[in-house]
Amino acid sequence: RHEPDFLQANNPWFRGVQTIYGPDGDVYVSDWVDGWDGLGKGRIYRLTDETHADSPIVREVQRLLEGDWQQRAVPALRAGLSHEDRRIRLESQWELARRGAVDTLLAVAGSPDADRLARLHGLWGADQIVRRDPSQSERVLESVRHWLADEDAAMRAAAAKVVGERGDR
């Protein structure tokens, strides 16, 4: 998940400004031709690995990203919080937060059986709900306070950030 260094090595004028991963499994890199004050135009590089173009995970991610997230059932969104593709995890988190699914998000965040990323997305999603609906704050903070002593350092840090931003002591 780093900007491809080989582009810079092969082109000293390369000024990559953004790297994104397409639903097709390819990597897209934008670059300003000859730097910021250069020619006033840019390029987009598409990097692909044909051996993975038709892999099951690429097909699955394409299918999921093309779908209507508002039509997905809560169990599918909950499962999406642990998907290996970050975009699927985020879309699942955002849709659960949009629906106000505090119980689902807190259950995932508090589950010792869930993987780290799913737990973090559960916590972040619950915090999203609090940002939009402060009346949920105490309910969410009650759970988050327990994670300040979680055995996972990433979970402790995320919990501390939520608690600190809410001014909780």
Side-chain angles (χ1 to χ4, degrees):
R1 309 225 162 100
H2 302 282
E3 186 173 289
D5 293 333
F6 67 88
L7 288 173
Q8 180 69 43
N10 293 327
N11 182 350
W13 297 279
F14 175 75
R15 301 290 182 263
V17 292
Q18 185 174 20
T19 302
I20 63 167
Y21 299 85
D24 55 4
D26 292 346
V27 177
Y28 295 85
V29 182
S30 62
D31 131 87
W32 288 113
V33 175
D34 209 20
W36 296 108
D37 299 321
L39 304 173
K41 58 184 175 177
R43 297 178 275 234
I44 296 178
Y45 295 93
R46 177 177 172 223
L47 309 169
T48 188
D49 181 348
E50 295 300 326
T51 61
H52 295 289
D54 200 34
S55 70
I57 187 65
V58 169
R59 286 193 313 269
E60 177 191 20
V61 168
Q62 284 176 320
R63 180 184 57 77
L64 290 171
L65 290 177
E66 290 171 354
D68 184 353
W69 289 90
Q70 293 181 13
Q71 298 302 315
R72 290 220 164 86
V74 169
L77 293 169
R78 181 181 174 141
L81 295 174
S82 62
H83 197 277
E84 66 183 282
D85 190 286
R86 179 176 172 258
R87 296 164 297 181
I88 304 303
R89 293 192 309 272
L90 285 170
E91 291 290 348
S92 297
Q93 172 192 322
W94 295 334
E95 181 59 25
L96 286 166
R98 188 190 68 75
R99 294 181 190 186
V102 174
D103 292 335
T104 298
L105 290 161
L106 291 176
V108 172
S111 173
D113 298 329
D115 65 49
R116 169 189 274 178
L117 290 174
R119 294 186 70 209
L120 288 168
H121 282 284
L123 172 58
W124 296 330
D127 187 43
Q128 276 180 269
I129 292 171
V130 170
R131 289 174 190 266
R132 287 193 342 215
D133 181 5
S135 71
Q136 298 285 340
S137 184
E138 188 53 40
R139 181 175 176 205
V140 169
L141 284 172
E142 186 176 313
S143 293
V144 174
R145 287 182 200 113
H146 295 288
W147 302 323
L148 291 169
D150 198 273
E151 62 184 48
D152 185 326
M155 197 66 180
R156 288 193 309 271
K161 182 178 185 293
V162 170
V163 167
E165 286 178 349
R166 301 289 153 258
D168 191 53
R169 300 194 193 287

